[in-house]
Amino acid sequence: MDLDKLMSKHLSRYFDGSKTIPDETLQQLLRFLRSAPTSTNIQPNHFYVVSTQEGKERLAANLGERFQDNAEKILNASHTIILTTRADVPEHHLEAVFAKERADGRFADEAKQERWESMTRDFVSLRKYSYKDTYHWMEKQTYMVMGLTMMAAAELGVEAMPLEGFDPISVDKAFNIRETGYTTTVLLALGYPDEAKQYKTPVSRFEPERLFTFA
């Protein structure tokens, strides 16, 4: 990965609608997305991969009135991923996580798996009853997954643009998301840049002395 190149470029805000991500590249990216870590392996996400014309138009039409400027980005992107997060952690979800870990042989012996499950339950209980921030905690995992996926996209030569400019109630309704126990957190548009519309000015960030404290 060329870090100097990444640090000197603006985030692409406009896509070339004539270019589509090759399926092999997309599948690589989705495999990475599936493998991205989350706290206690809670895996609180479901991902909607929007690529058909009908899907793009449905998403673009349901961003909400004040966010219609983002419709063009959705329509021209090769794919847009709707990253959703569980509204809570029901027992059946925890049991599904543990069952998959056991089936995959994540831990070398039964005792370690049992200790892990006990620790996970304790941590989930802490978020629910003491911190009272279960959804916020899981939502942070979603953003971590998105950030890692953006880095993977750059490695594959794909532009990735996060979008928070949308009405989650409208998007949830359009794709029947809340019926599944999840809700939309953020959108990630993917594709190739429209070079004529890219910013050419320098990237502006604070100086290091304002950003870093070494202890």
Side-chain angles (χ1 to χ4, degrees):
M1 182 180 294
D2 188 342
L3 290 180
D4 287 334
K5 182 178 180 181
L6 282 179
M7 289 187 292
S8 64
K9 70 184 293 298
H10 287 279
L11 189 71
S12 292
R13 296 185 58 79
Y14 298 97
F15 294 99
D16 183 339
S18 68
K19 295 181 179 179
T20 302
I21 299 171
D23 188 62
E24 181 180 355
T25 301
L26 176 67
Q27 294 307 317
Q28 279 186 285
L29 192 58
L30 295 183
R31 285 196 297 272
F32 180 91
L33 178 57
R34 176 175 174 264
S35 75
T38 54
S39 176
T40 70
N41 197 33
I42 197 66
Q43 301 176 69
N45 306 114
H46 188 84
F47 309 104
Y48 292 75
V49 183
V50 179
S51 62
T52 66
Q53 189 61 33
E54 186 277 331
K56 291 179 183 181
E57 290 176 358
R58 190 181 354 156
L59 180 56
N62 286 281
L63 297 175
E65 183 177 352
R66 69 175 62 186
F67 301 115
Q68 278 307 299
D69 285 350
N70 285 329
E72 177 187 355
K73 299 162 188 173
I74 300 296
L75 294 172
N76 286 332
S78 172
H79 296 70
T80 296
I81 299 177
I82 304 173
L83 292 92
T84 75
T85 306
R86 292 205 62 88
D88 57 14
V89 187
E91 179 64 21
H92 67 79
H93 180 76
L94 272 181
E95 288 295 340
V97 170
F98 297 153
K100 188 65 169 69
E101 290 175 336
R102 288 172 178 266
D104 289 341
R106 184 180 182 199
F107 294 96
D109 58 64
E110 182 77 11
K112 285 186 177 180
Q113 178 70 42
E114 290 178 355
R115 285 198 299 273
W116 173 260
E117 292 178 10
S118 176
M119 182 207 74
T120 299
R121 288 184 183 281
D122 182 63
F123 192 72
V124 169
S125 178
L126 186 69
R127 307 298 330 192
K128 181 176 181 179
Y129 295 107
S130 297
Y131 299 156
K132 297 180 173 60
D133 69 344
T134 305
Y135 175 72
H136 181 57
W137 165 61
M138 291 192 293
E139 190 177 44
K140 288 189 288 186
Q141 310 311 309
T142 305
Y143 274 88
M144 180 172 70
V145 165
M146 182 182 69
L148 291 168
T149 302
M150 291 175 67
M151 297 297 289
E155 181 72 11
L156 293 170
V158 174
E159 295 288 333
M161 177 179 61
L163 287 168
E164 291 186 310
F166 65 92
D167 178 356
I169 296 175
S170 181
V171 173
D172 284 354
K173 184 176 180 180
F175 289 86
N176 301 314
I177 292 172
R178 294 197 178 183
E179 291 86 338
T180 68
Y182 294 75
T183 183
T184 302
T185 298
V186 67
L187 309 179
L188 185 63
L190 302 163
Y192 299 99
D194 181 340
E195 296 295 346
K197 294 183 178 181
Q198 298 309 300
Y199 292 120
K200 306 298 183 183
T201 54
V203 171
S204 176
R205 300 290 187 270
F206 285 127
E207 294 301 321
E209 54 268 22
R210 179 162 180 164
L211 297 178
F212 302 108
T213 295
F214 299 93

